[in-house]
Amino acid sequence: MSMPPPLQGITVVDFSHVMAGPFCTHTLKTLGARVIKIERAGEGDVMRHYDTREEYKGTAPPFIAVNCGKESIALDLKSEAGLRIAKQLLEKADVVVENFRPGVLDRLGLGYHENKATNPGVIYCSVSGFGKSGPMRDNPAYDHVVQAVSGVMSLTGEPGSKPTKVGFPVLDTFAGYTAASAIVAAILQRERFGEGQYIDVAMLDASLNLMIAMVAPYLIAGDIPKKVGNRGFNMSPTSDTFQAADSEISIGANTQVQYEALCKALDREDLIHDPRFAEREGRIKNEIALRDEIESRTREKPAEEWEIIFNKVSVPSAAVRTINDIANHPHVEQRPLKVSIDLPHNPLAKTLGPGFQLANVPPESLGAAPQLGEHTRALLIELGYTNDALDTLAEQGAIQIGQSRI
Amino acid sequence: MSMPPPLQGITVVDFSHVMAGPFCTHTLKTLGARVIKIERAGEGDVMRHYDTREEYKGTAPPFIAVNCGKESIALDLKSEAGLRIAKQLLEKADVVVENFRPGVLDRLGLGYHENKATNPGVIYCSVSGFGKSGPMRDNPAYDHVVQAVSGVMSLTGEPGSKPTKVGFPVLDTFAGYTAASAIVAAILQRERFGEGQYIDVAMLDASLNLMIAMVAPYLIAGDIPKKVGNRGFNMSPTSDTFQAADSEISIGANTQVQYEALCKALDREDLIHDPRFAEREGRIKNEIALRDEIESRTREKPAEEWEIIFNKVSVPSAAVRTINDIANHPHVEQRPLKVSIDLPHNPLAKTLGPGFQLANVPPESLGAAPQLGEHTRALLIELGYTNDALDTLAEQGAIQIGQSRI
């Protein structure tokens, strides 16, 4: 399969910063798009500064994670020349992504309607906390705040415990992924039916969609979801996390067949016929006693040994791992998930592709994370500016011309 | 914008059951595809039986949530005639989705390579726990088990606490969404460059991508992520959850400007210049004292009042809400997120669209969740079978002909 990637030849002009927007355009980049990242002259994307180590100055690891292979142009949008350049870039865009507060780009004359007038096929996507409609539309947002308002926190943790945040920026990331998916769908729609359009992606909307298994049953039948702690959603007492000799082992024995296989694998066939546990109802009623029986065995071996034993008899199971346990695990190494990047102080550095592999997706390498304004000169020469004109604009502060570090 | 939806005219043949696969094809349905759901004669998708209420018998709310508007055909794939029908449907498919254990469909002659021989443009997507390569490829999976192995559990909760599961099936859902996104990208790739392909989506891969903010900095710089409890990822002591008069209020005051605005909104301007708290370092050092000062004020009013007060001064903030607080909130009501469905016992019932709105996406209504085999007869007549032939096949048990409930 030698097809070009799906977004070959598609130019994305990206005004976004911090997480959801840059992750969106990272995903588009891994699918083959060209991404032109417009940054504020002087500081650039604040994510550049999320690290104090000298070697990561200006390109912190979280910035590198989602910005490799993008071209950075640094502009002062408050200057007339900077604004004009932004408009010139927008005129050539297939896709625009932005995550400013509502109205900011409209006031600068860089909004969808202005852009559409000169670029009628444009697909223009705004990513924000709460979207462009509704009473919360002007509220600023961080991931943890949207986790609070959306109900994500209310569902996580043991029954009776305080609301608990998901320990990674799940909504920033999922909103960015939603935006990338919407843009790809809109490109397909334009390819087949001819028109561009405006797309309004909100972290709160995305979070409710991610919780569809809880939200839709409420909308359908009024069912109010309950916290289940670490138990599987089937609520079987044998689908939970148990103490092993070293760490913990997660087991998923939902069905009678799985329960019996689990008992055999534990070398505790007596539990199959024990009147307290023989049927699902009994296991639920006597769950504390059952947990004690299971843990008296699971404590005897390390979690990774149990993982192999249980999976061999078709009982879903996994040791509870940390990011550093799993990120370079032999299994993950064989998955088409990672993509090489250029990073002088770590030649083995990688980031992640779009989460799936298509023909020629992701590419073999994404290249380097751009220094602030690294591509200002090349991009403006492409737009027809002379080197002399650029030097003047740089002196005036309308643009910032950065250097490549490599 | 009167374009047809992006997947207009695209036929998806869906062998999947339970959650990730059906959510994938639900998303494709909301984008305009026709989805033919092949179910096992007799029981059908086990998600149909996730409820004991009489009115939801055979179509439980979690099933309705992700299956409305699909056409159900019920087959016995162990019978020659049932298998032949499945092959005939596959020959006409633009897209195939399945989430059987590796090898199951290959053994039945329904795998990608067989399908491709008669249907060269097919896009064939497998969704599984661990994917089709790597040493864990044969391991069965549930959402909570993949939360364990992926590091999701290790990140969630207060520092020092036990691993904590995210309280909704985040990985089932995100893997399904990833599969839908991959399929849309592959359709675009086929539309532009002519070829179909096989796509291997894994819950574990998807989970690592969802945690890219933690996983990539580890791959880039060896940074091991730490649990942060309910604190914002910026780690400011004023970005956290605080006790209000009724419930809790989440605040995001990361910057000095936000901190000062927060103090003023609390009517505690003294905290701005208090030497313990004047600078970020001091606030981190004296975080317990600062929390006490803030909560002495936040306890005085309900969380939703504080939410308005803080947002008015551009401090991101939200009351911690539950699913039933937010799902019908006036803000969410104004968002283009929900889609109507047909459900006789609740005419107001809705489910969720793809998480964004494009021209004619989602449709005004998705229709009803199909009864098991409700479309068997119509689909087979479309394939050229006679009513007599169908009655014979039904008697033999090769197919099951269901009725519409409505």
Side-chain angles (χ1 to χ4, degrees), chain A residues 1 3-8 23 53 56 64-65 101 130-136 139-140 142-145 148-151 153-156 162-165 167-169 173-174 177-178 181-182 185 188-189 191-193 195-197 199-200 205 208-214 216 218-221 223-225 228-233 241 243 248 250-252 254 258 307 311 316-322 324 326-329 331 334-335 343 346 349-354 356 358-359, chain B residues 1 3-8 23 53 56 64-65 130-136 139-140 142-145 148-151 153-156 162-165 167-169 173-174 177-178 181-182 185 188-189 191-193 195-197 199-200 205 208-214 216 218-221 223-224 228-233 241 243 248 250-252 254 258 307 311 314 316-324 326-329 331 334-335 343 346 349-354 356 358-359:
Chain A
M1 287 190 294
M3 277 185 290
L7 302 190
Q8 171 108 329
F23 180 60
R53 287 168 289 192
Y56 291 112
I64 295 171
R101 296 278 289 275
F130 297 92
K132 302 296 187 190
S133 55
M136 292 179 174
N139 289 8
Y142 291 126
D143 181 273
H144 72 284
V145 171
V149 67
S150 62
M153 289 183 77
S154 77
L155 292 171
T156 299
K162 284 206 159 198
T164 302
K165 196 187 77 156
F168 57 94
T173 313
F174 186 59
Y177 202 81
T178 296
S181 303
L188 176 61
Q189 204 171 8
E191 189 78 19
R192 298 183 72 197
F193 307 116
E195 292 178 41
Q197 60 189 304
I199 310 170
D200 167 16
D205 295 353
L208 295 174
N209 194 30
L210 193 62
M211 294 186 291
I212 187 171
M214 289 9 201
Y218 176 72
L219 296 174
I220 290 163
D223 296 343
I224 295 178
V228 299
N230 287 350
R231 188 155 293 187
F233 297 102
T241 312
Q243 189 62 50
E248 291 189 290
S250 175
I251 298 173
N254 286 355
Q258 287 167 332
E307 175 179 300
N311 279 299
S317 174
V320 176
R321 287 184 173 80
T322 59
N324 39 313
I326 193 68
N328 292 319
H329 187 281
H331 180 80
Q334 289 192 36
R335 299 293 306 154
L343 185 66
N346 180 6
K350 288 182 160 59
T351 187
L352 301 178
F356 52 83
L358 301 179
Chain B
M1 288 191 294
M3 277 186 289
L7 301 190
Q8 171 107 329
F23 180 60
R53 287 169 289 191
Y56 292 112
I64 295 171
F130 297 93
K132 302 296 187 189
S133 55
M136 292 179 175
N139 288 8
Y142 290 128
D143 181 273
H144 72 284
V145 171
V149 66
S150 61
M153 289 185 75
S154 77
L155 292 171
T156 298
K162 284 205 160 198
T164 302
K165 196 187 78 156
F168 57 94
T173 314
F174 186 59
Y177 202 82
T178 296
S181 304
L188 175 62
Q189 204 172 8
E191 189 79 19
R192 298 183 72 198
F193 308 116
E195 292 178 40
Q197 59 189 303
I199 310 170
D200 168 15
D205 295 353
L208 295 173
N209 194 31
L210 193 62
M211 294 186 292
I212 187 171
M214 290 8 203
Y218 176 72
L219 296 174
I220 289 163
D223 296 343
I224 294 178
V228 298
N230 288 350
R231 188 155 292 188
F233 297 102
T241 311
Q243 189 61 52
E248 291 190 289
S250 175
I251 298 173
N254 285 356
Q258 287 167 332
E307 176 179 299
N311 279 299
S314 292
S317 174
V320 177
R321 287 184 173 79
T322 58
I323 296 297
N324 39 312
I326 193 68
N328 292 319
H329 186 281
H331 180 79
Q334 289 190 36
R335 299 293 306 154
L343 185 66
N346 180 5
K350 287 182 161 51
T351 187
L352 301 178
F356 52 82
L358 301 179

Side-chain angles (χ1 to χ4, degrees), chain A residues 181-182 184-193 197, chain B residues 3-12 23-35 94-95 97 123 179-191 354 356 358-363:
Chain A
S181 303
V184 173
I187 294 171
L188 176 61
Q189 204 171 8
R190 182 175 70 184
E191 189 78 19
R192 298 183 72 197
F193 307 116
Q197 60 189 304
Chain B
M3 277 186 289
L7 301 190
Q8 171 107 329
I10 298 286
T11 298
V12 179
F23 180 60
C24 165
T25 57
H26 167 73
T27 303
L28 300 177
K29 173 77 202 167
T30 63
L31 293 171
R34 176 184 190 185
V35 179
D94 292 290
V95 173
V97 176
I123 292 162
S181 304
I183 288 166
V184 173
I187 293 171
L188 175 62
Q189 204 172 8
R190 182 175 69 184
E191 189 79 19
F356 52 82
L358 301 179
N360 295 308
V361 165

Side-chain angles (χ1 to χ4, degrees), chain B residues 2 7 11 16-17 24 29 46 60 101 109 112 124 165 180 187 210 212 270 274 299 309 324 372 379 384 390 406:
Chain B
S2 56
L7 301 190
T11 298
S16 73
H17 50 282
C24 165
K29 173 77 202 167
V46 294
R101 295 277 290 276
Y112 172 61
Y124 193 112
K165 196 187 78 156
I187 293 171
L210 193 62
I212 187 171
D270 60 299
D274 187 313
R299 281 175 199 279
I309 292 167
N324 39 312
L372 177 60
L379 281 164
L390 296 186
I406 300 171

Side-chain angles (χ1 to χ4, degrees), chain A residues 14 16-27 37 39 45-53 55-70 168-169 172-173 341 343 345 349-352 366 368-370 405, chain B residues 209-226 233-235:
Chain A
D14 180 8
S16 73
H17 50 282
V18 190
M19 188 61 200
F23 180 60
C24 165
T25 57
H26 167 73
T27 303
K37 184 178 177 79
E39 295 187 81
D45 188 339
V46 294
M47 209 165 27
R48 289 183 174 277
H49 312 293
Y50 281 8
D51 204 283
T52 54
R53 287 168 289 192
E55 69 266 38
Y56 291 112
K57 204 175 166 186
T59 51
F63 177 84
I64 295 171
V66 294
N67 286 288
C68 287
K70 298 179 184 175
F168 57 94
D172 268 334
T173 313
I341 60 176
L343 185 66
H345 38 288
K350 288 182 160 59
T351 187
L352 301 178
L366 283 173
R405 173 174 288 173
Chain B
N209 194 31
L210 193 62
M211 294 186 292
I212 187 171
M214 290 8 203
V215 173
Y218 176 72
L219 296 174
I220 289 163
D223 296 343
I224 294 178
K226 294 195 187 90
F233 297 102
N234 172 283
M235 294 303 290

